[in-house]
Each structure stands twice: as structure tokens, then as C-alpha cells.
Amino acid sequence: MPQVEMDGLKWAQTNAILRYLGKVGGLYPSDAREALACDMVLEFLDDITDAVSKTFGQAPAAMAKARRELLPKLRGMLERLEGLLANGGASGYFCPKGCTVADVQCMCVLEWLAQGVLDGIPTDIIEAYPGLVIHLAKVNALHPVIDWKSKHT
């Protein structure tokens, strides 16, 4: 379980941590409607990771089979995720005013799906969704993302 420690206290839950860090770092919307859009995307990304995570803990062949059977549902979820980008309008992000923690978390989920560590899920899974491909490139081109990745990969 993800957690962060601050001032001797441990805090858990991915989205709670993301919202906190987003507020502190300026990547969480102050506008209530944009915050709603951001939270909606975070929850939807949880649905995607939960669907894939349910295939864990099986024998390798059974796990790969379960993931192949999950592909139609996963593709439908990716199509809906791509549709959520329309909420951001011309910004190219999920919210009109720019990049939020939802965009960064989306990058993490899409890269996890495509990195080849999930047997049964093709590495080109997101290529059928040009909006997601463009979004992923846009987030990866942000200087803080480039800096972080250069230090952690």
C-alpha cells in the first residue's frame, strides 16, 4: 500500500496522497468543478488498476489467460478514459486549466499497462487510442516529469 511519512505520521491511500501532494504542489484544482473532473479520472484509473490487479496471485499461465480474457473490458475502459480527455478541451489534459495529479497518475497507469510486465496484456495496448498516446507524450514532456524520471529510472 502506498504511504508517505510526514512529521512522524504515516499517511496511506493513493488518491488521498495524490490529492494532498497535488494541493501542496499546485497540481490539484482549486475550482470545485475541475476538482470533480480530476477526482473522476483518479477513480476511473483505480477501476482500471483494480481490474488488472484481480488477475494477480494465479499461476503464470492462468494469470496470462485471465488477462487475455480481460482485454475487451480493458479496451472499453481505455476508450472511455480517452473520452474523458474531452472534458479538458483544448488544454490536452483532463481539466481545462491544465495538468493535474490525474494526468500524472494516468501516465503512470498507461506506462504500467504498456511496459511488458503484465503477461497477456500487449505492450501496444494504448496505441489504438491516439488521444491517450498524445496525452502520454504531453505529460512525459513536462520538465518536472523529465527531471524525476532522469533521477529514478
Side-chain angles (χ1 to χ4, degrees):
M1 172 187 311
Q3 69 179 29
V4 64
E5 187 172 335
M6 294 178 292
D7 301 324
L9 298 173
K10 292 182 180 176
W11 304 91
Q13 296 300 329
T14 301
N15 288 340
I17 294 168
L18 284 171
R19 283 195 269 296
Y20 171 79
L21 294 174
K23 288 175 183 178
V24 170
L27 287 177
Y28 190 80
S30 58
D31 176 81
R33 199 169 215 160
E34 289 212 3
L36 174 64
C38 179
D39 290 345
M40 178 178 62
V41 172
L42 289 174
E43 298 299 328
F44 193 79
L45 292 167
D46 277 352
D47 292 345
I48 292 172
T49 57
D50 288 348
V52 175
S53 295
K54 288 178 182 173
T55 66
F56 292 168
Q58 303 178 43
M63 193 177 336
K65 181 178 184 280
R67 289 179 184 153
R68 282 191 302 276
E69 291 171 354
L70 175 65
L71 283 176
K73 178 181 178 179
L74 187 56
R75 287 188 172 111
M77 295 174 94
L78 291 172
E79 184 176 340
R80 287 191 297 281
L81 180 64
E82 183 179 46
L84 293 177
L85 281 168
N87 291 339
S91 76
Y93 297 110
F94 288 106
C95 293
K97 292 182 183 169
C99 185
T100 69
V101 291
D103 298 286
V104 176
Q105 181 69 349
C106 183
M107 173 196 68
C108 295
V109 170
L110 294 178
E111 288 181 348
W112 174 61
L113 290 173
Q115 75 185 129
V117 297
L118 299 168
D119 292 339
I121 296 181
T123 57
D124 64 351
I125 184 87
I126 65 166
E127 299 304 316
Y129 311 95
L132 293 178
V133 172
I134 291 167
H135 178 263
L136 182 59
K138 185 174 180 110
V139 175
N140 268 306
L142 297 170
H143 291 292
V145 172
I146 292 168
D147 291 345
W148 190 90
K149 284 186 171 189
S150 73
K151 294 174 185 167
H152 296 92
T153 53

